[in-house]
Amino acid sequence: GAVVSQHPSWVICKSGTSVKIECRSLDFQATTMFWYRQFPKKSLMLMATSNEGSKATYEQGVEKDKFLINHASLTLSTLTVTSAHPEDSSFYICSARAIGYEQYFGPGTRLTVT
Amino acid sequence: GQQVMQIPQYQHVQEGEDFTTYCNSSTTLSNIQWYKQRPGGHPVFLIQLVKSGEVKKQKRLTFQFGEAKKNSSLHITATQTTDVGTYFCAASGYALNFGKGTSLLVTP
């Protein structure tokens, strides 16, 4: 299957700092990328959907100014958690999809805010 | 988006026993997808069901889509320790709406 990478795989940051997470589709052009959040032993919650070259669409309850998403190219989307707080600690997973194909998930990034 | 409910939340079986997880929706689904997530890993696509009453098999896994396209099930025959993980169903719209998952624990 197609490959989606995420970087970093884990990150620890101090409260108040910002963290950027990258999501790349390695062998296909992803017209749409999705960002999910997963708390321990919980399901995946869609945060936002991004299409290349346009603004991301955020789900209800997700703060746009806190979770900045940029989809600069057909193979790269970034999620920046701004002014992180301990409650932002979570597992963030991206997925990518080309038109007509299923979503392929990245390996996830575990964020811990101290 | 289309919401799905999944039961049970947890299932603990002895190796060799069968396992079933159910996914239900109050609305008709266009299709449904199943994913497996190993502990510490990311969701891996298993299958997509589209047609009413569809049944698909992957070795020991049997997937069904209800006649009304409002429910689906995943059945594992003779579980093995490698089946351990959380199984999610997801309703496919523009994005995926995941059920809460069923965590399967298999003890040898």
Side-chain angles (χ1 to χ4, degrees), chain A residues 2-6 21-26 28-37 44-51 69 71 73-79 92-98 101-109, chain B residues 33 35 42-45 94-98:
Chain A
V3 178
V4 176
S5 70
Q6 262 183 261
I21 302 170
E22 293 186 348
C23 177
R24 294 181 184 271
S25 57
L26 299 184
F28 69 102
Q29 293 186 323
T31 49
T32 306
M33 287 187 171
F34 304 88
W35 286 95
Y36 295 85
R37 183 174 181 178
L44 288 84
M45 299 297 296
L46 179 66
M47 298 175 65
T49 303
S50 73
N51 293 292
I69 291 172
H71 194 159
S73 74
L74 286 171
T75 59
L76 173 65
S77 177
T78 60
L79 166 67
Y92 293 88
I93 303 176
C94 73
S95 68
R97 186 178 72 187
Y101 294 87
E102 72 254 21
Q103 290 188 32
Y104 294 97
F105 285 85
T109 297
Chain B
Q33 300 185 24
Y35 291 78
H42 62 278
V44 174
F45 175 80
Y94 185 65
L96 291 173
N97 289 299
F98 284 84

Side-chain angles (χ1 to χ4, degrees), chain B residues 13-90:
Chain B
V13 300
Q14 293 285 334
E15 190 172 24
E17 294 181 337
D18 292 355
F19 159 78
T20 305
T21 174
Y22 301 90
C23 189
N24 298 290
S25 171
S26 59
T27 61
T28 301
L29 303 171
S30 54
N31 61 67
I32 197 158
Q33 300 185 24
W34 285 91
Y35 291 78
K36 178 183 179 181
Q37 185 175 22
R38 293 181 184 275
H42 62 278
V44 174
F45 175 80
L46 293 177
I47 208 160
Q48 176 173 278
L49 303 173
V50 179
K51 299 178 182 178
S52 169
E54 188 170 16
V55 178
K56 288 188 176 180
K57 291 190 176 183
Q58 291 179 351
K59 297 183 180 178
R60 294 178 294 105
L61 277 62
T62 302
F63 303 85
Q64 292 188 336
F65 201 10
E67 293 290 341
K69 299 181 72 173
K70 290 185 176 182
N71 56 73
S72 180
S73 65
L74 159 60
H75 179 82
I76 302 178
T77 303
T79 55
Q80 299 175 359
T81 54
T82 54
D83 295 325
V84 166
T86 301
Y87 294 84
F88 293 98
C89 63

Side-chain angles (χ1 to χ4, degrees), chain A residues 10-87:
Chain A
W10 60 270
V11 58
I12 302 173
C13 71
K14 292 186 177 181
S15 186
T17 61
S18 295
V19 174
K20 180 184 284 188
I21 302 170
E22 293 186 348
C23 177
R24 294 181 184 271
S25 57
L26 299 184
D27 53 359
F28 69 102
Q29 293 186 323
T31 49
T32 306
M33 287 187 171
F34 304 88
W35 286 95
Y36 295 85
R37 183 174 181 178
Q38 187 176 33
F39 290 101
K41 299 184 179 181
K42 297 292 185 182
S43 186
L44 288 84
M45 299 297 296
L46 179 66
M47 298 175 65
T49 303
S50 73
N51 293 292
E52 184 264 341
S54 61
K55 290 184 178 180
T57 302
Y58 290 81
E59 294 298 301
Q60 191 173 8
V62 178
E63 298 177 58
K64 301 178 182 180
D65 295 333
K66 182 165 188 62
F67 299 99
L68 301 179
I69 291 172
N70 182 272
H71 194 159
S73 74
L74 286 171
T75 59
L76 173 65
S77 177
T78 60
L79 166 67
T80 301
V81 183
T82 62
S83 187
H85 290 285
E87 57 265 30

